[in-house]
Every structure is written in structure tokens, then in C-alpha cells.
């Protein structure tokens, strides 16, 4: 892909590098200086009497991809859904602790859930386009927030579809049903739909688990593009995927009371090469359970 | 120790032949029984066409009944009555039925949701004559006269459980994630129901509507007690008369609804009881018209859904 | 869990141990052949190095296959990367043994400058270090791995001793310089051999702790 010719450095330059106090290492993807975008502090989520999350802390950094991994039923999705208060929709769900977006607690009194959901978009496990045209799918969100002018909507739809790397494939058939697209295209349509309301954070709940490998790679490539402008949190069962796409990885597991806990949270490079916790080690090497 | 593979080798050929024979036998049995089940259907259709077909002509659809003994005349009054009652019944049953279904689908375990489902079951089990009786007691008696309105309400009660049930089932079939996708974009619950769930379930819901209408259009018993019958019901006449006397549109519609009307099954029932051969013949013709009416509703519904599905799936 | 994968890693470890034994044997044989002035034996040793090299390629290929097919993570990944690294080290160590065999062939019919005393000791010590370092590697025995590099000092000391002895010969009679050089070169090969044992020990620590550290012997970089 890279056609740039690479040559050895000239000796003078090399010598100057060698005499520097520290030799530059490979640049890692993750950026430790990125500010915290979503800060989870001692989060506890209850379904009725059952405690699903037991005191989770997590600092999601801005413009980084954070993967949440862990065995089934460890509370990954519950944690993800607390980021846009989708848990509110589950009957009997109660939340304690704090999830703050840019420092403002989402669970404070008087917070407008609609505003949160505009700022924190979500993409689901199975592609779920509405039974509407491609255009109306993307325009759905903007219309909710009162965008009515045709030219405005057209602009938003085009920009969102371009950001989701779908524009070229659908620009001639915007009037066709969103359900007429292939699975991978449908999922990118869902991403475009989420992008249309210009969120700051995008939550992805196993976004590629229902897709074929090529479509999966396209979504993963897209995520790398998107992270320039958005903060992404992804839940995935696929550890290779977490390793490929994410900058940070959070490892979760259930404790004896079957409540989800954060076991380890670190740069992805570290989690997959030298995790500190034995349970993380067992999980990422496939020896869990 | 006997190995399975050895047993299989010994008995393999025979078993395979036995299996083939059994298979062929069962297959022909199912084919035969299917054909048997279709016999009554074709028998009814051909018989009705044979008996009623010859009496159907243009007058039959466009003219009111003639007095006994005079040849010709039609059942326009009954066709119009059936349409008016069906529209009324649809208007009274569809909105509450659909809304209740949304509620029940959304809150299946709430007390009200359980109550809705339970009463739906009970309602669908009530004989239609009883519903006619209730409509008679609640509307016909206080009003002092039979009316299309009373018939529409009686049929609406009959249709309600069908609409509610099919709508609820169709809403349940809409993937949960579709609802979540809308809510995650910040849409309110009612907005999600209206612009995502309803369109997604529309095919099934409309099928439910049409099935309910087809069912109601064929009912006789409740109408006996609510609409009575009216040989002179003629919408064109009502409109013409109303316009001549400068009545408002509400008065005209009121006159349409607030008088006894006839319907196809009611007419069929009445004609079939009369001793005159021409009435009996006309009863067969009415039966044919009724059959065509119900059948075309079904066919239109299916064709429409085909087109819609194809458009949705691209 | 992952029984097949673990079995394949075990096989890989067995192969690596076998390769280590081959290298160890080559070294002892090479020095022994030199001591006995058995040029024929040295030729055989020289030829046998090819077997070590092909063993190394085999291990490398197997590591590649496991990385591609099993997507190893964390400990597994560190182990496989280290096996690759150690197999490369062993191959180079085999080359040192081959180097000593070459010296014997080059010396040909000429008598040795002096009887070999310290050089066989060096060989014994280096082979022993390799043996224990590789055992520690396979068993992931960090304690042993951390201790072995210090023993490199002993080899270095012996090398200095050999060097001084040879210098004395050369100063006394400059014409002995070629023959002295042969022996110095032999000792140098042994010294390098022992140095590389340290790298194997560092890998052992890496597998267990995930950290790459340099375990320096006090004299590393000397001479």
C-alpha cells in the first residue's frame, strides 16, 4: 500500500540519534495524554435485587478506542449502556455511582436523557436499519431534533454517509429501503445514522459479530477513521478484534456474587502482551474457565 | 460385543427398503388428506357459483329490491349497508385496538397489560349474538330505533379482539433492537412507536385489519338485533335529498348512519327464509356476492403486502 | 482449555531442547577434536552444523504457524517470540562450535602452541551454563535464569588467562604469532558462546515477567 521509498538514514543523522539520551521507541497507538472523556466512578447497577455491576471505575480517553472485553454475562453491555442511560429502559434497573461526560454526571438530577443520547450515540450488535429509505434512516435523528429544511437534511445525510464510508455505494439509491443493503452496508448505515446527530461518543455493542470477515474489517478500518473526531467505546467478544482496533482495553469478570467487576484496565498493547492480572492472562490466552 | 456398524451391515439393505416404502406411504397419505381438506372449499365455491351465478347482472348491483312478484331488482341496499357498517366498525375498533395493542406489547407484565390480554381472550370467546344483544340494550333501546351506528358498534366489539391480538403479535415480531436504535438516538417512546415500530409491523397489522373486516362483514346475528334491515336504503338518494333541502354534510352523514340498514348476510338470511323461488335464487346470488366481497378483501390485502414487502426489501 | 495448542507448544519446547543438546555436544566435540588434533572429527563437526541450522528453520516455521493459526496472546505470545529468539541464539552458538572446528582444520598438521588446559575448562563451563540456562528457560525458572549470567565472569577470567599465556609465548618468540592466534580465536569463540547464554536467561525472565531486562555480568563488554 505504501509506495513511499524507504532508505537508510544517512550516517550523520543516525549518529545524532545514537548520542541522544534516549532512543525513540516505536510509537504506540494509545495516547496517554488524551483527556478523560467519560469518567466512570464506583458504578453499581442493580436489576431488582441483583447487582450486575459492582463498583466499576473506568476513565475513557478522548479520541481513543476503548474496548471492553470479558466472558459472557460479566456486565460489559450493562456498563456500555450506562454511558447513554439505555439501562433506564430496563424495568427494575437502578444505578448508583457516577458516569460523567466531560465532567458532568449523567445520573445527576435534572439531566435531560435526550441530550445525553444525542451526545452519546450507539451502534448495536445486529444491523438494525429502520424499515425506511436509506435517506430517511440517516435523517431520522436530525429530524427528531427539529431539522426540517431539505437542503440542511441533504447535507447532513451526505456528510454522515461519507463519514461512515458508505456514500459511494448508496449515493444513487438513497430512496431505496435500508433493508435492501448487505449486512455490512446495513451496519455502516446504522453508524451513519448515529453520526448524523453529531455525537461526541460512539458506543458499539459487538458491532461486527453478525458480519462476515471482510465487512468486519471494513467496520474496523472505519473505526480508525472515526476516532479522529469521536471517542469510541466498543464491547466485543472477539479478542483479536479488541487487540486490532483498540487503544485501551478494559477487562471485566464476574465475582463470586455474579456481579461484574473491572479486573484490569490498561493500554491494549500491555493487556495483550503482558497483563498484570492472572485472570486477564487466562482470558486473553484462551484458558479461561 | 456387538458393534453398531456390524448390525447396520446385516440389516442395512432391508431397513433402507422399509424406510423408502414407509416414506412413500406417508407422503401419499398427507397428499390425500390435503386434497380431502380442499374438497369442501371447492364444493362450496362451485355450488354457490352454479346456483347464484346466473342471477347476477348489472341491475343486481345497482338497483333496490322490487316488491314481491315483480321480476328484476337488486341488492344495492345491502351492498351499501355492508360497506357503511364495515367502515363504522373499522373506525370504532381500529384506533382503540391498535393503541391497546401497543400498550400491551410494551408493558406485557403490567397489571393493565395482563388485563388487556385477558379481556381480549374473553371477548373473542363471546358469541356474536350476545354482543348484538348488548348493543341492542345499550344503543337501540335508548335511541328507540335500529341503526347502522348500532350495527357498526356491535361489529366493532367483535373485531376488537382480532385487531388487538394480531397487532400485538406483529409488534412483538419487530426486533427489539429497532426500538432501542430509535431510543438511543434520543427519540421519545411515542415517537418510536409511531415512526419505527408501527411502520415495521404495518404489513401484519393491516392483514389483521382486513381479516377482522372480512370476519365482521360476514356476521349476521348481531345485525339482526341492531340494524334490522331496510329495503329502501340508498345512499345516492339520501345525498340527493339532503342537497335539495340544503342540509349540512353532518346532517347527511347522520341520516346515513342513524337509520336501519341492511347488509349482505342479513339479506341472504332473510331471502333464504322466504317461500318465493325468485327470492331463493337471489339469496344464492347474494351468497356469491358476499363470497366475492370477502375474497377480494383478502386478495387485495395479500397483493398490497407483496408490493410493500418487495419495496422494503429492495 | 487449549489442549492442542499446549501440546504444540510442548513439542516446540522439546525441539528447542534437542537443538540445545546438539549445540552443547558440538561445542564439547569441537574442543575435544582440537585437543586430540583429530582433523577428521572436526570435518564431521563442521558438516553437522547444517543439521543445527535446519533445526532452527524448522522451529522458526513452527512458531510462525502457531502465531498465524492460534493467535497467541500475553504469555503464549512472549513464549513463542522467545523461542524464536533463543533458536536464533542457539544457531549462532552452533556457529561458534563450527568456528572452533574450522580452526582445527586450518591448523592442519602443525602441533599446538601449548597443551590445552584452560580452553577445555572454558568449554566445559560454557556448555554447562547453556545446559542449565536452557533447562531454566523450558521450566520458566526465573531464579536460576537470573543467577547464571554472573557465572560468565568465570569464563571471562579464563579467557583473560588464556590470552595472557599466549601473549607470553608471542613476546618470547614472535614467530609463534600465527599458532597463538589460532588458540586465541578458539578461546574467543568460547567466550562469545558463554555471552549468548545470558541472552537466553534474559528471555526466560521476559517470558515470566513480561519485562526485557539486561542481566549484565560484571565484566560484560570487556576484552
Amino acid at each position: 500500500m505504501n509506495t513511499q521509498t524507504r532508505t537508510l538514514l544517512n550516517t550523520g543523522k543516525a549518529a545524532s540519534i545514537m548520542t541522544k539520551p534516549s532512543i525513540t521507541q516505536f510509537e504506540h497507538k494509545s495516547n496517554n495524554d488524551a483527556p478523560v472523556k467519560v469518567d466512570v466512578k464506583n458504578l453499581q447497577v442493580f436489576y431488582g435485587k441483583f447487582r450486575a455491576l459492582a463498583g466499576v471505575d473506568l476513565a475513557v480517553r478522548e479520541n481513543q478506542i476503548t474496548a471492553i472485553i470479558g466472558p459472557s454475562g460479566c456486565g460489559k453491555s450493562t456498563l456500555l449502556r450506562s454511558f447513554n442511560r439505555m439501562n433506564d429502559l430496563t424495568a427494575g434497573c437502578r444505578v448508583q455511582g457516577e458516569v460523567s461526560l466531560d465532567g458532568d454526571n449523567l445520573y445527576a438530577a435534572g439531566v435531560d436523557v435526550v441530550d445525553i443520547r444525542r451526545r452519546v450515540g450507539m451502534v448495536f450488535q445486529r444491523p438494525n436499519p429502520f424499515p425506511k429509505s436509506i435517506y430517511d434512516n440517516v435523517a431520522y435523528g436530525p429530524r427528531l431534533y427539529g431539522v426540517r429544511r431539505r437542503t440542511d437534511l441533504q447535507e447532513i445525510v451526505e456528510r454522515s454517509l461519507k463519514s461512515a464510508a458508505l456514500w459511494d455505494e448508496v449515493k444513487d439509491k438513497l430512496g431505496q429501503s435500508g433493508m435492501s443493503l448487505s449486512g455490512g452496508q446495513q451496519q455502516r448505515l446504522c453508524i451513519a445514522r448515529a453520526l448524523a446527530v453529531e455525537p461526541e461518543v460512539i458506543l458499539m455493542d459487538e458491532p461486527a459479530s453478525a458480519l462476515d470477515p471482510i465487512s468486519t474489517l471494513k467496520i474496523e478500518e472505519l473505526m480508525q477513521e472515526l476516532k479522529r473526531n469521536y471517542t469510541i467505546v466498543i464491547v466485543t467478544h472477539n479478542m483479536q478484534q479488541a487487540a486490532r482496533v483498540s487503544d485501551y482495553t478494559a477487562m471485566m469478570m464476574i465475582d463470586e456474587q455474579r456481579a461484574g467487576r473491572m479486573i484490569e484496565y490498561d493500554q491494549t498493547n500491555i493487556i495483550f502482551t503482558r497483563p498484570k492480572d492472572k485472570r486477564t492472562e487466562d482470558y486473553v490466552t484462551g484458558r479461561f474457565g | 460385543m456387538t458393534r453398531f456398524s456390524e448390525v447396520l451391515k446385516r440389516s442395512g439393505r432391508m431397513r433402507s427398503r422399509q424406510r423408502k416404502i414407509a416414506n412413500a406411504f406417508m407422503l401419499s397419505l398427507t397428499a390425500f388428506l390435503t386434497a380431502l381438506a380442499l374438497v369442501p372449499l371447492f364444493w362450496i365455491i362451485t355450488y354457490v357459483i352454479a346456483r347464484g351465478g346466473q342471477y347476477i347482472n348489472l341491475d343486481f348491483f345497482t338497483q333496490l329490491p322490487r316488491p314481491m312478484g315483480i321480476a328484476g331488482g337488486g341488492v344495492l341496499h345491502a351492498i351499501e349497508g355492508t360497506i357503511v357498517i364495515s367502515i363504522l366498525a373499522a373506525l370504532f375498533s381500529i384506533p382503540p385496538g391498535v393503541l391497546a395493542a401497543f400498550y400491551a406489547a410494551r408493558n406485557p407484565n403490567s397489571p393493565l397489560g395482563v388485563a388487556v390480554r385477558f379481556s381480549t381472550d374473553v371477548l373473542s370467546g363471546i358469541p356474536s349474538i350476545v354482543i348484538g344483544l348488548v348493543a341492542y340494550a345499550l344503543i337501540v333501546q335508548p335511541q328507540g330505533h335500529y341503526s347502522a351506528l348500532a350495527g357498526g358498534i356491535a361489529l366493532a366489539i367483535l373485531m376488537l379482539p382480532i385487531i388487538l391480538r394480531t397487532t400485538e403479535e406483529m409488534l412483538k415480531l419487530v426486533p427489539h433492537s429497532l426500538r432501542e436504535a430509535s431510543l438511543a438516538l434520543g427519540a421519545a417512546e411515542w415517537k418510536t412507536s409511531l415512526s419505527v415500530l408501527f411502520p415495521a409491523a404495518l404489513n401484519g397489522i393491516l392483514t389483521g385489519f382486513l381479516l377482522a373486516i372480512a370476519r365482521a362483514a360476514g356476521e349476521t346475528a348481531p345485525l339482526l338485533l341492531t340494524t334490522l334491515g331496510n329495503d329502501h336504503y340508498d345512499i345516492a338518494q339520501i345525498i340527493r335529498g339532503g342537497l335539495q333541502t340544503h342540509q349540512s354534510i353532518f346532517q347527511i352523514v347522520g341520516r346515513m348512519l342513524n337509520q336501519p340498514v341492511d347488509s349482505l348476510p342479513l339479506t341472504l338470511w332473510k331471502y333464504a327464509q322466504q317461500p318465493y323461488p325468485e327470492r331463493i335464487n337471489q339469496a344464492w346470488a347474494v351468497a356469491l356476492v358476499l363470497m366475492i366481497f370477502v375474497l377480494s378483501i383478502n386478495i387485495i390485502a395479500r397483493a398490497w403486502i407483496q408490493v410493500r414487502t418487495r419495496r422494503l426489501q429492495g | 482449555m487449549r489442549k492442542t495448542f499446549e501440546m504444540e507448544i510442548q513439542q516446540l519446547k522439546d525441539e528447542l531442547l534437542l537443538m540445545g543438546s546438539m549445540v552443547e555436544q558440538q561445542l564439547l566435540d569441537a574442543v575435544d577434536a582440537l585437543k586430540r588434533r583429530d582433523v577428521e572429527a572436526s570435518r564431521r563437526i563442521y558438516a553437522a552444523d547444517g543439521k543445527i541450522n535446519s533445526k532452527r528453520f524448522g522451529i522458526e516455521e513452527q512458531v510462525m504457524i502457531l502465531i498465524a493459526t492460534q493467535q497467541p496472546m500475553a504469555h503464549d505470545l512472549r513464549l513463542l517470540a522467545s523461542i524464536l529468539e533463543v533458536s536464533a541464539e542457539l544457531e549462532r552458538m552452533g556457529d561458534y562450535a563450527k568456528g572452533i572446528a574450522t580452526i582445527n582444520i586450518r591448523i592442519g598438521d602443525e602441533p599446538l602452541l601449548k597443551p590445552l588446559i584452560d580452553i577445555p575448562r572454558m568449554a566445559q563451563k560454557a556448555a554447562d551454563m547453556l545446559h542449565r540456562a536452557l533447562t531454566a528457560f523450558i521450566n520458566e525458572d526465573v531464579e536460576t535464569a537470573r543467577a547464571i549470567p554472573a557465572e560468565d565472569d568465570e569464563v571471562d577470567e579464563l579467557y583473560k588467562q588464556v590470552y595472557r599465556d599466549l601473549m607470553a609465548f608471542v613476546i618470547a618468540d614472535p614467530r609463534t604469532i600465527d599458532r597463538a592466534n589460532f588458540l586465541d580465536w578458539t578461546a574467543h569463540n568460547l567466550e562469545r558462546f558463554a555471552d549468548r547464554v545470558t541472552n537466553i536467561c534474559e528471555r526466560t525472565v521476559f517470558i515470566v515477567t513480561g519485562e526485557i531486562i539486561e542481566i549484565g555480568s560484571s565484566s560484560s563488554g570487556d576484552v
Side-chain angles (χ1 to χ4, degrees):
Chain A
M1 282 222 196
N2 193 348
T3 53
Q4 193 187 352
T5 319
R6 298 206 159 152
T7 55
L8 281 173
L9 297 174
N10 65 50
T11 46
K13 210 164 172 184
S16 77
I17 291 171
M18 290 298 285
T19 52
K20 274 186 193 161
S22 74
I23 295 172
T24 329
Q25 300 258 314
F26 281 106
E27 256 180 62
H28 287 308
K29 291 192 297 179
S30 49
N31 177 5
N32 275 322
D33 301 329
V36 172
K37 182 74 185 173
V38 184
D39 203 2
V40 180
K41 281 186 190 137
N42 194 24
L43 182 75
Q44 305 201 46
V45 177
F46 299 84
Y47 293 119
K49 281 185 183 154
F50 173 67
R51 187 163 71 159
L53 285 188
V56 169
D57 293 285
L58 177 69
V60 174
R61 289 174 194 278
E62 190 163 32
N63 292 47
Q64 301 282 299
I65 299 174
T66 304
I68 304 175
I69 61 169
S72 299
C74 70
K76 303 184 294 285
S77 289
T78 301
L79 176 62
L80 192 76
R81 282 158 174 269
S82 66
F83 287 22
N84 62 347
R85 289 187 55 170
M86 285 296 275
N87 284 332
D88 294 15
L89 301 170
T90 312
C93 179
R94 200 156 45 80
V95 175
Q96 275 175 22
E98 212 176 277
V99 179
S100 36
L101 180 61
D102 287 338
D104 302 321
N105 186 4
L106 302 184
Y107 287 91
V111 170
D112 183 7
V113 181
V114 171
D115 184 54
I116 293 173
R117 294 194 184 144
R118 191 198 61 72
R119 293 173 65 192
V120 184
M122 192 160 189
V123 176
F124 296 82
Q125 186 171 0
R126 297 199 142 269
N128 53 358
F130 299 138
K132 300 168 180 291
S133 71
I134 293 169
Y135 182 94
D136 287 337
N137 260 283
V138 183
Y140 184 83
R143 279 178 178 146
L144 281 178
Y145 295 95
V147 180
R148 286 279 173 273
R149 272 180 48 195
R150 264 183 85 90
T151 46
D152 291 347
L153 280 174
Q154 266 165 2
E155 211 180 294
I156 292 172
V157 168
E158 180 173 342
R159 194 173 51 232
S160 305
L161 285 169
K162 276 180 178 163
S163 302
L166 190 60
W167 175 250
D168 289 334
E169 290 159 60
V170 302
K171 63 182 175 205
D172 300 322
K173 48 176 181 180
L174 292 175
Q176 273 187 27
S177 168
M179 285 149 95
S180 66
L181 300 174
S182 74
Q185 288 175 324
Q186 286 189 16
Q187 193 60 303
R188 277 179 283 146
L189 177 63
C190 293
I191 292 175
R193 183 176 66 191
L195 296 180
V197 292
E198 293 177 17
E200 297 157 41
V201 181
I202 301 173
L203 310 176
M204 296 185 164
D205 194 352
E206 299 187 49
S209 63
L211 304 181
D212 63 89
I214 301 292
S215 303
T216 300
L217 284 179
K218 274 188 185 164
I219 299 280
E220 289 176 4
E221 278 300 307
L222 178 58
M223 288 172 72
Q224 299 303 325
E225 289 291 317
L226 292 175
K227 80 173 211 187
R228 286 194 225 153
N229 299 313
Y230 306 91
T231 304
I232 298 175
V233 185
I234 174 177
V235 163
T236 177
H237 268 130
N238 182 336
M239 271 178 300
Q240 277 72 43
Q241 181 171 61
R244 280 195 299 267
V245 301
S246 71
D247 305 302
Y248 285 86
T249 300
M251 168 71 197
M252 293 185 70
M253 195 156 276
I254 43 173
D255 62 13
E256 298 75 34
Q257 282 84 45
R258 302 180 27 79
R261 280 182 191 281
M262 182 73 65
I263 298 298
E264 191 169 356
Y265 173 53
D266 212 326
Q267 293 174 38
T268 299
N269 300 320
I270 291 175
I271 292 284
F272 287 98
T273 57
R274 45 197 158 97
K276 293 178 187 68
D277 195 288
K278 179 76 172 64
R279 290 164 293 181
T280 312
E281 168 89 39
D282 285 349
Y283 187 70
V284 299
T285 56
R287 288 177 181 80
F288 168 77
Chain B
M1 202 173 71
T2 320
R3 291 176 61 104
F4 173 68
S5 55
E6 286 164 14
V7 177
L8 199 66
K9 215 176 279 172
R10 261 185 277 130
S11 61
R13 276 186 74 86
M14 188 187 63
R15 299 243 168 223
S16 131
R17 257 191 65 190
Q18 266 182 358
R19 200 174 57 230
K20 275 179 192 158
I21 292 170
N23 193 27
F25 175 73
M26 291 310 286
L27 196 66
S28 16
L29 191 66
T30 51
F32 173 71
L33 290 176
T34 309
L36 204 64
L38 287 175
V39 166
L41 178 68
F42 283 107
W43 185 63
I44 290 173
I45 291 176
T46 44
Y47 197 71
V48 169
I49 290 173
R51 290 294 302 267
Q54 49 188 312
Y55 304 102
I56 287 188
N57 49 35
L58 192 62
D59 286 356
F60 194 74
F61 293 101
T62 56
Q63 296 198 358
L64 292 176
R66 301 251 168 95
M68 210 60 63
I70 299 169
V75 290
L76 177 66
H77 68 302
I79 293 172
E80 286 183 350
T82 297
I83 290 171
V84 168
I85 297 170
S86 300
I87 289 173
L88 276 178
L91 284 180
F92 291 141
S93 62
I94 288 173
V98 169
L99 291 179
F102 267 103
Y103 184 86
R106 176 75 189 90
N107 310 296
N109 297 320
S110 68
L112 193 55
V114 173
V116 165
R117 206 157 335 108
F118 180 70
S119 37
T120 308
D121 286 344
V122 172
L123 197 57
S124 61
I126 294 177
S128 57
I129 186 81
V130 176
I131 292 171
L133 199 63
V134 170
Y136 177 82
L138 293 182
I139 300 158
V140 178
Q141 256 192 345
Q143 270 201 314
H145 60 83
Y146 295 96
S147 67
L149 191 69
I153 288 171
L155 291 189
I157 296 172
L158 209 66
M159 284 165 67
L160 198 62
I162 305 174
I163 288 173
L164 212 155
R165 255 298 144 88
T166 45
T167 307
E168 192 192 339
E169 291 305 318
M170 290 307 136
L171 285 175
K172 276 193 206 152
L173 286 182
V174 177
H176 190 60
S177 65
L178 223 52
R179 190 177 144 252
E180 284 193 321
S182 172
L183 294 172
L185 282 165
E189 192 86 46
W190 68 267
K191 176 78 183 162
T192 301
S193 294
L194 191 71
S195 54
V196 175
L197 296 195
F198 189 67
L202 194 56
N203 280 352
I205 293 175
L206 285 173
T207 317
F209 290 175
L210 292 167
L211 281 175
I213 290 171
R215 161 92 201 278
E219 276 293 341
T220 323
L223 299 185
L224 279 172
L225 296 166
T226 51
T227 65
L228 188 65
N230 180 355
D231 275 0
H232 307 290
Y233 191 74
D234 182 354
I235 289 176
Q237 178 61 44
I238 294 169
I239 293 173
R240 227 179 297 125
L243 288 178
Q244 274 165 10
T245 51
H246 304 288
Q247 287 173 343
S248 76
I249 182 148
F250 298 107
Q251 282 170 305
I252 296 173
V253 172
R255 278 181 62 204
M256 269 185 224
L257 307 183
N258 217 4
Q259 59 175 310
V261 295
D262 234 318
S263 82
L264 287 167
L266 204 55
T267 309
L268 167 59
W269 182 76
K270 280 190 295 191
Y271 282 11
Q273 288 183 332
Q274 291 182 10
Y276 312 102
E278 62 261 42
R279 280 296 190 240
I280 301 289
N281 289 338
Q282 278 188 323
W284 280 110
V286 169
L288 183 56
V289 171
L290 185 62
M291 222 168 62
I292 291 169
F293 184 74
V294 172
L295 211 62
S296 23
I297 288 179
N298 269 311
I299 290 171
I300 289 168
R302 271 160 225 281
W304 190 80
I305 283 163
Q306 283 274 312
V307 170
R308 219 184 105 82
T309 311
R310 203 168 305 138
R311 212 180 54 209
L312 267 183
Q313 253 123 53
Chain C
M1 295 275 268
R2 304 206 78 173
K3 267 201 179 138
T4 322
F5 182 45
E6 267 160 17
M7 242 167 63
E8 281 173 309
I9 282 187
Q10 199 53 54
Q11 277 175 9
L12 207 47
K13 282 178 165 179
D14 290 348
E15 283 293 290
L16 195 73
L17 269 181
L18 182 59
M19 184 181 174
S21 309
M22 288 161 74
V23 171
E24 196 182 324
Q25 198 58 51
Q26 282 278 92
L27 185 78
L28 293 174
D29 286 354
V31 173
D32 189 51
L34 179 67
K35 196 175 169 186
R36 291 189 288 104
R37 302 295 303 107
D38 184 347
V39 176
E40 249 344 281
S42 288
R43 288 215 167 85
R44 278 199 304 276
I45 292 162
Y46 186 97
D49 186 58
K51 283 186 198 161
I52 291 176
N53 292 352
S54 56
K55 191 114 241 147
R56 197 250 149 160
F57 295 140
I59 289 172
E60 183 177 1
E61 192 185 357
Q62 185 60 16
V63 168
M64 291 291 180
I65 288 170
L66 286 184
I67 288 175
T69 57
Q70 300 285 339
Q71 287 93 34
M73 294 286 187
H75 177 274
D76 296 334
L77 184 61
R78 299 198 299 267
L79 176 64
L80 286 177
S82 299
I83 286 177
L84 201 60
E85 170 79 18
V86 169
S87 70
E89 292 291 347
L90 289 176
E91 196 227 300
R92 296 306 306 274
M93 289 160 87
D95 288 345
Y96 293 133
K98 186 173 85 170
I100 294 170
T102 314
I103 290 166
N104 193 26
I105 296 163
R106 290 263 295 278
I107 295 173
D109 294 337
E110 264 185 274
L112 293 178
L113 182 61
K114 69 188 253 313
L116 298 183
I117 301 158
D118 288 330
I119 284 179
R121 266 193 217 151
M122 281 179 81
Q124 275 300 338
K125 183 69 201 168
D128 178 51
M129 281 170 70
L130 168 63
H131 191 92
R132 283 179 296 125
L134 208 53
T135 309
F137 178 86
I138 298 295
N139 297 331
E140 299 182 10
D141 176 356
V142 183
E143 289 310 303
T144 312
R146 280 189 204 277
I148 290 170
E151 300 174 24
D152 188 41
D153 291 355
E154 248 176 87
V155 180
D156 289 346
E157 275 313 310
L158 284 169
Y159 179 41
K160 280 178 196 161
Q161 184 61 45
V162 170
Y163 184 75
R164 278 194 297 269
D165 289 353
L166 292 174
M167 276 305 118
F169 275 100
V170 172
I171 290 162
D173 180 1
R175 283 173 304 171
T176 60
I177 189 152
D178 277 352
R179 289 156 73 203
N181 250 343
F182 282 130
L183 293 187
D184 175 54
W185 193 239
T186 304
H188 182 75
N189 272 318
L190 290 169
E191 191 268 334
R192 299 298 305 138
F193 187 100
D195 274 354
R196 286 185 182 267
V197 173
T198 304
N199 294 345
I200 296 175
C201 294
E202 284 169 2
R203 287 289 141 184
T204 306
V205 175
F206 171 67
I207 290 173
V208 177
T209 66
E211 275 165 51
I212 298 185
I213 50 157
E214 290 212 45
I215 316 173
S217 64
S218 57
S219 63
S220 60
D222 271 13
V223 183

